[in-house]
Amino acid sequence: MSKRDIDLFNERAAVAEREILGLKLQLESLRRSIATDIPSDITKEEFERLQQENVKLTHRIAILKRTVEMQRDKLDNRMESLAPADTISIRDNLVAVFRSAIGAAYPDVADPPVIVTTSSNPKFGDYQCNSAMPLAQQLSGAGTKISPRDVAKEIISKLKVSPVIEKYEIAGAGFINVYLKHEFGQTILRNWLSAGEVLPPYVKKKRVIVDFSSPNIAKEMHVGHLRSTIIGDSISRLLEYLGHDVLRLNHIGDWGTQFGMLIAHLQDKFPNYSTTAPPIQDLQTFYKESKTRFDNDEEFKKRAYECVVKLQAFEPNITKAWKMICDISRQEFEKLYTRLDIKLTERGESFYQKYMELIVPELESKNMLEEDNGRKVMWGEKHGSGIPLTIVKSDGGFTYDTSDMACIKHRVENERGEWLIYVTDAGQSLHFQMLESCAKRAGILKSFHKMDHVGFGVVLGEDKKKFKTRSGDTVRLSELLDEGLKRALQKLKEKGRDKVLSEEELKAAQESVAYGCIKYADLSHNRNHEYVFSFDKMLEDKGNTAVYLLYALTRIRSIARTANVTKDELRQRLHETPISLEHEKEWKLAKVLLKFPDVILGVNEDLYVHPLCEFCYEVSCAFTEFYDKCYCVEKNEAGEIVKINMGRLLLAEATALVLEKCFSLLGLKPVAQM
């Protein structure tokens, strides 16, 4: 049984049950008509017709009910065996089981509450169904007085045998505690070990376009680009893992007025640029020089504007200068993306120039643009709400709003995007709300399209102020990564790792720790919140840090090496050795691992990545408890191996597979030795 089966059945059952409810309302109306005195203007024939309609509706309801029940029985039978390719969402499975039982217990309740949570205390089961209390309130409101505990008893009486659930029990006022089957856990973990990877849960596949990073040409990437780049990459990795068709777009700022001043400054500083490549090593300094001239020299400013006009007319020499500046920037961006292992497809603002020229007359033809002090603005679906988009400036030029409207149209119609995701700072949330509203009003975004703004807070220094250098400048991303490498190496040397690792292994560990700790510190925080950037905290080897987690995985991998058991040998033993889940700590670890599909589906739903980081830490803590109490490899006093517990080695291998998959989704690179 796959999640696809459950989804399809639940959709069909919901449609059938809505139809049943509608028919019941019609039937009640007919019955009331028949039960009342027949007005003198209703003929005997009309009365008989109503009675026949009553019989037909009653019969149709009975058929629909039987159909729904037959399909439920068929689904339950299919649930008896789990296919090797399935990764089961426990929560979705339990929701389906309880929805079916509640529907059978209370068929007249429309849209009953189905509340399933993870139990925080093993004394109260592994999961809980907390539907009885709100359901009792709903029934009481409809005139049926009943206690939550009695509701819980009625629900349990309708529950069917499940391959996932060992037993149910009622606790307190009406909580239903759920205990999972060990055999279910063994089946899922065995599936992953057999496949050699953690298989993704089923989701409906979409064409997704993720817009992230988005630096500006001629400006160095700084700490402000860090969050968009890291969060956008991790979200893209996770969506790709789930099977979505993901296009990662880098919407760089490579067009506009600033290029006029850059080109004019290039002409003055390197007049032979068209024949000899200018030696511009520091574009940031070059940009500041041109900006200073633009602000203080009226003649230079005039020439800069002339260069903008020539660029928009695609004059060859001016276009060549523009491409040259863009190429220099692009090379610098790529160095950083390579270091952080980020893959992107570039679609600069210049790419959308012709689409901007087309979007304006299209919006005008639909009477969606209004004059406002010489500007042409557009309101969203609620006129007067929020701030309108400026589609055309008073001087006839385009704006970011024009570009973004053209982007949406191109991404929906040309890129065939169904789900558009923008990863920018939270300060742009109102802009994206208006953009989505305007795109819907224009008919560009249809009802089946989805658009999300993934906002995030700013990065703070340890003084709790916006992260800057001591001189007050913005922190360059390249300098930040260099500092991370320096501190990671220092930390590794403090632990004497340079004495046991080869030069190549030490470099790999250094990069793994440096880039991993920077990424993880960002991703482990709720993206809506600000967070304090602290290398000291990031590099701690205790608590929820990348260093602790990377070390945990390295330790897990070392267990099989100590036992001289290869991955292939472990896989071969799967058929003859059950995964050991009898000890309390073994079962606790397994239950944590089994949460993986629900964690992944949660990120797919709300695009918050920090729960995945919390899950990694929970896995590592559960493994530590398991490792302390359950010996995988037993040695005598001489240090010789006397016993290998293969069932526990298999559980350790399953844990490693889950952590490796999580690290891959977070963009962390584990190493064999650290």
Side-chain angles (χ1 to χ4, degrees):
M1 181 216 56
S2 69
K3 185 174 183 293
R4 184 200 303 266
D5 295 322
I6 296 173
D7 287 345
L8 289 174
F9 167 71
N10 284 334
E11 285 175 15
R12 291 169 183 165
V15 170
E17 284 165 353
R18 282 197 299 270
E19 190 173 350
I20 289 171
L21 183 60
L23 288 171
K24 280 185 175 180
L25 293 172
Q26 290 181 45
L27 185 57
E28 283 303 313
S29 177
L30 278 169
R31 283 176 177 161
R32 281 195 300 271
S33 298
I34 293 168
T36 56
D37 292 334
I38 304 172
S40 57
D41 58 338
I42 293 184
T43 65
K44 181 182 178 182
E45 289 77 12
E46 181 67 13
F47 178 67
E48 288 175 351
R49 187 190 67 77
L50 284 172
Q51 284 186 315
Q52 289 173 0
E53 190 69 23
N54 183 0
V55 172
K56 286 179 182 177
L57 285 172
T58 305
H59 183 60
R60 192 173 172 199
I61 288 172
I63 291 173
L64 273 171
K65 278 188 172 180
R66 281 201 302 272
T67 302
V68 170
E69 285 307 312
M70 285 170 61
Q71 290 298 321
R72 282 203 171 105
D73 289 341
K74 187 177 178 182
L75 184 65
D76 289 340
N77 291 334
R78 292 184 66 187
M79 285 169 64
E80 290 302 323
S81 61
L82 300 172
D86 283 338
T87 287
I88 304 298
S89 160
I90 295 174
R91 188 186 176 282
D92 285 351
N93 190 287
L94 294 180
V95 166
V97 167
F98 280 101
R99 182 184 286 117
S100 175
I102 293 169
Y106 300 100
D108 295 331
V109 176
D111 193 25
V114 183
I115 305 166
V116 174
T117 61
T118 308
S119 176
S120 57
N121 188 333
K123 291 180 181 178
F124 304 121
D126 303 318
Y127 287 79
Q128 282 184 335
C129 175
N130 302 330
S131 299
M133 279 163 282
L135 191 52
Q137 289 177 345
Q138 200 168 334
L139 289 165
S140 296
T144 304
K145 296 293 182 183
I146 187 170
S147 72
R149 194 171 178 87
D150 286 338
V151 171
K153 288 178 182 176
E154 187 62 25
I155 293 171
I156 281 188
S157 74
K158 302 297 182 183
L159 286 167
K160 297 183 179 179
V161 175
S162 166
V164 175
I165 302 163
E166 180 67 37
K167 66 174 181 176
Y168 310 96
E169 64 181 24
I170 299 174
F175 301 104
I176 301 175
N177 297 338
V178 181
Y179 294 83
L180 301 180
K181 280 185 178 178
H182 283 48
E183 293 82 1
F184 163 73
Q186 286 175 326
T187 300
I188 296 300
L189 298 180
R190 191 186 302 114
N191 290 345
W192 294 346
L193 289 168
S194 180
E197 63 173 323
V198 183
L199 302 163
Y202 168 77
V203 295
K204 186 177 179 182
K205 309 301 185 283
K206 292 182 179 180
R207 168 70 165 167
V208 189
I209 296 173
V210 188
D211 179 328
F212 67 101
S213 194
S214 306
N216 289 314
I217 292 294
K219 293 182 181 179
E220 278 203 80
M221 287 181 71
H222 53 76
V223 72
H225 296 108
L226 185 67
R227 300 209 76 182
S228 175
T229 304
I230 290 172
I231 295 169
D233 175 62
S234 187
I235 287 172
S236 298
R237 286 170 181 265
L238 190 139
L239 297 178
E240 287 161 349
Y241 168 63
L242 285 171
H244 294 294
D245 179 13
V246 180
L247 175 60
R248 302 151 159 256
L249 285 188
N250 196 12
H251 186 71
I252 65 169
D254 66 347
W255 203 247
T257 306
Q258 74 271 23
F259 281 93
M261 68 184 192
L262 288 166
I263 292 168
H265 188 53
L266 181 72
Q267 289 173 330
D268 292 346
K269 195 164 185 178
F270 304 103
N272 61 340
Y273 73 87
S274 60
T275 55
T276 306
I280 304 174
Q281 277 78 37
D282 188 347
L283 262 179
Q284 188 82 357
T285 300
F286 187 81
Y287 179 89
K288 286 180 178 178
E289 290 172 355
S290 65
K291 184 71 168 68
T292 301
R293 293 183 68 189
F294 185 83
D295 292 339
N296 300 300
D297 185 337
E298 286 300 319
E299 193 277 329
F300 178 81
K301 180 183 285 189
K302 182 182 175 183
R303 281 198 299 119
Y305 281 128
E306 289 171 357
C307 285
V308 173
V309 174
K310 290 176 182 177
L311 177 61
Q312 291 175 343
F314 298 101
E315 189 173 300
N317 274 346
I318 299 297
T319 301
K320 184 174 183 178
W322 168 73
K323 286 182 177 177
M324 201 172 287
I325 293 168
C326 288
D327 285 342
I328 294 168
S329 263
R330 198 173 285 117
Q331 289 165 17
E332 294 305 309
F333 296 159
E334 195 52 43
K335 288 177 185 175
L336 292 171
Y337 291 140
T338 299
R339 291 175 73 174
L340 290 171
D341 191 25
I342 309 289
K343 305 290 190 299
L344 279 158
T345 298
E346 186 181 302
R347 291 274 194 279
E349 288 174 356
S350 61
F351 176 85
Y352 298 103
Q353 177 66 25
K354 60 183 178 183
Y355 298 101
M356 287 190 272
E357 293 167 3
L358 293 172
I359 196 74
V360 175
E362 178 183 331
L363 296 174
E364 285 180 323
S365 70
K366 295 178 180 178
N367 296 317
M368 292 188 176
L369 300 186
E370 297 180 14
E371 290 287 336
D372 180 54
N373 294 322
R375 301 180 304 153
K376 291 182 180 179
V377 301
M378 180 179 180
W379 291 96
E381 294 171 303
K382 293 182 181 178
H383 193 284
S385 175
I387 301 171
L389 300 185
T390 299
I391 302 300
V392 182
K393 294 191 294 185
S394 56
D395 64 1
F398 297 146
T399 68
Y400 288 122
D401 295 344
T402 327
S403 172
D404 282 343
M405 281 295 287
C407 280
I408 285 190
K409 186 173 174 63
H410 184 270
R411 290 172 185 183
V412 166
E413 296 181 2
N414 297 66
E415 307 282 9
R416 314 306 299 171
E418 299 170 277
W419 185 6
L420 309 183
I421 299 173
Y422 295 83
V423 187
T424 74
D425 66 272
Q428 297 188 49
S429 60
L430 179 59
H431 167 72
F432 283 105
Q433 287 172 25
M434 287 303 300
L435 184 64
E436 181 179 8
S437 185
C438 287
K440 285 179 176 177
R441 183 182 166 218
I444 296 170
L445 286 180
K446 306 291 195 300
S447 60
F448 59 86
H449 289 121
K450 184 180 179 184
M451 177 172 159
D452 280 302
H453 174 229
V454 175
F456 52 81
V458 299
V459 182
L460 304 177
E462 294 189 70
D463 57 0
K464 303 293 177 68
K465 295 179 181 178
K466 201 167 182 179
F467 195 26
K468 292 185 179 293
T469 63
R470 288 182 180 177
S471 61
D473 292 332
T474 303
V475 179
R476 296 183 179 186
L477 193 49
S478 59
E479 293 174 354
L480 192 75
L481 298 183
D482 289 343
E483 180 69 15
L485 286 173
K486 175 183 167 185
R487 297 216 188 190
L489 183 60
Q490 181 182 338
K491 193 80 174 177
L492 289 166
K493 285 184 174 179
E494 283 175 10
K495 292 184 171 293
R497 307 318 295 163
D498 55 322
K499 305 290 192 301
V500 295
L501 298 178
S502 67
E503 189 175 333
E504 187 178 334
E505 288 171 337
L506 184 63
K507 185 175 185 296
Q510 177 192 14
E511 291 179 354
S512 173
V513 170
Y515 303 149
C517 77
I518 290 171
K519 288 183 180 183
Y520 192 81
D522 191 310
L523 296 171
S524 61
H525 288 84
N526 183 323
R527 58 175 168 79
N528 284 336
H529 302 161
E530 300 169 333
Y531 83 95
V532 175
F533 191 98
S534 167
F535 273 121
D536 289 338
K537 289 183 179 177
M538 289 178 191
L539 290 166
E540 287 179 359
D541 55 8
K542 292 182 179 63
N544 190 9
T545 66
V547 179
Y548 172 73
L549 296 174
L550 288 165
Y551 175 72
L553 178 58
T554 304
R555 183 177 58 165
I556 295 169
R557 282 287 179 220
S558 71
I559 297 170
R561 286 200 301 270
T562 301
N564 295 315
V565 178
T566 66
K567 285 186 180 182
D568 288 338
E569 287 171 332
L570 278 172
R571 199 173 301 178
Q572 288 167 9
R573 296 295 292 272
L574 264 178
H575 305 292
E576 57 193 64
T577 307
I579 298 168
S580 186
L581 299 181
E582 295 308 312
H583 192 281
E584 171 197 354
K585 298 301 181 183
E586 294 171 341
W587 182 225
K588 180 179 179 180
L589 173 58
K591 286 188 293 183
V592 173
L593 298 177
L594 294 173
K595 290 182 187 177
F596 174 78
D598 286 323
V599 174
I600 296 300
L601 291 172
V603 181
N604 180 71
E605 184 66 28
D606 59 26
L607 303 177
Y608 284 92
V609 183
H610 68 276
L612 181 58
C613 298
E614 291 167 0
F615 172 74
C616 288
Y617 185 57
E618 187 180 4
V619 170
S620 298
C621 291
F623 183 84
T624 298
E625 289 183 32
F626 155 76
Y627 187 70
D628 288 344
K629 299 292 183 182
C630 306
Y631 297 117
C632 298
V633 180
E634 296 182 33
K635 298 181 180 179
N636 59 21
E637 292 182 0
E640 300 166 330
I641 296 174
V642 294
K643 183 180 179 182
I644 296 174
N645 190 321
M646 195 59 67
R648 288 175 177 171
L649 271 186
L650 290 171
L651 181 56
E653 175 65 15
T655 306
L657 287 179
V658 170
L659 281 178
E660 283 174 343
K661 179 53 66 179
C662 292
F663 290 174
S664 172
L665 299 178
L666 295 169
L668 275 59
K669 283 188 173 180
V671 289
Q673 296 186 56
M674 190 169 78

